[in-house]
Amino acid sequence: MKRLVLSCILLLGRYAVLPVVALAAGLLFIWLIALDDYTRIALITAPIMFCVVAAAVALALGILFVPARRERSNVLDEAMAPALWRIWQELDPAFAKPTRTLRFDAEFNASISEARGYAGIFRQHVTMTVGLPLLMILDERAIRATIAHEVAHAELRHITGAGNLFDFLRACENVLHYANPDRTITGRIAARLLRAVLGWVNREYLALSRQNELAADRRAAALLGPSEMARSLVLIAGGVARLRELVFSPLETDMLGAISLPATPLQRMSTHLVDIRDHDALTAAAAKTIEEESMEDPNSTHPPLRASLANLGCATLPAVDPIEAPAIERLLSPDAARDLSAQLDAEWRKLAQTRVRLGG
């Protein structure tokens, strides 16, 4: 039953609140009928009925006022990343430049999302975000496999479901703008109901998300080959472990009690780039990840590495080719690579400076 409800939400998005609105309308109709025959009972329940109707109206109006999700910062235009744009175009059969945006961030990750126009009824705009550390550490082959995986999410309409879920939750939250949970009984009840809905929807969606990751890997493997997808999974898993060991754990230590800002994550990555990309250390880190990870983390959106490799036909950790030249050298212009690194460093310093002040 829960999976059926989730499927309806992923299909209808913000419009999934309409059955609730219809239920409230039905209760109002019954109450109006009872007003003639059971006047005293109807008058006693009038305050409750008015709250229900007002909340339903807020839900209905919320369909029109869901905030836009399209990211407009850190955009990579074709002049900055011509090769990256070309790879996306080659792998995406539905590619149309006006409906595509390419972004960058500071994560060792890539993602893809979809946003629709007003009221969610106009054509979708797809945004792909590629982390600069991913380009610094991996090679073009691995980046191509990663982009194929993200394009597969779009082809399989996984990002449509994720966007619809976001719109549904935001439409529900509009009730809290009408009724403050700290000041009104209606808001307090709505907040508790929303919290309960969020709890089980999140659990169901996490399980579905893990299945979607496996499906996207299979679709991308059909295009590039299982070995290429398995290679990218191993390199990314090893890279995550090496970054945690060489960059982020030492950074956390340096931030404790710091009175001045330490080197930024990107600067540390550049310093340790040879060690992070070392093939033996990388594959050893991936093997250790398989040994230490649980069979399935219910709080994760991704399946364990073991399951992802088995999904591609690899019973054990496969032998993979070493990382070639960094993708950033081939996929970004030299000026763009330098400028983007400086921009992300400045953003990190701005956030870290606040933390240092609070710590001091």
Side-chain angles (χ1 to χ4, degrees), residues 90-93 148 151 155 217-226 229:
E90 291 171 358
L91 296 174
D92 188 352
V151 168
E155 286 186 64
D217 280 342
R218 291 193 297 270
R219 174 64 69 91
L223 182 62
L224 298 182
M229 293 307 302

Side-chain angles (χ1 to χ4, degrees), residues 253-262 352-360:
T253 301
D254 291 345
M255 287 292 291
L256 293 174
I259 59 175
S260 61
L261 292 181
Q353 187 66 50
T354 303
R355 179 176 170 181
V356 169
R357 287 200 197 99
L358 291 174

Side-chain angles (χ1 to χ4, degrees), residues 247-286:
V247 175
F248 294 112
S249 292
L251 178 59
E252 283 295 318
T253 301
D254 291 345
M255 287 292 291
L256 293 174
I259 59 175
S260 61
L261 292 181
T264 70
L266 290 182
Q267 290 172 339
R268 291 167 183 260
M269 288 179 204
S270 298
T271 302
H272 296 287
L273 197 55
V274 174
D275 294 330
I276 295 171
R277 302 176 81 247
D278 180 77
H279 182 66
D280 292 336
L282 206 63
T283 52

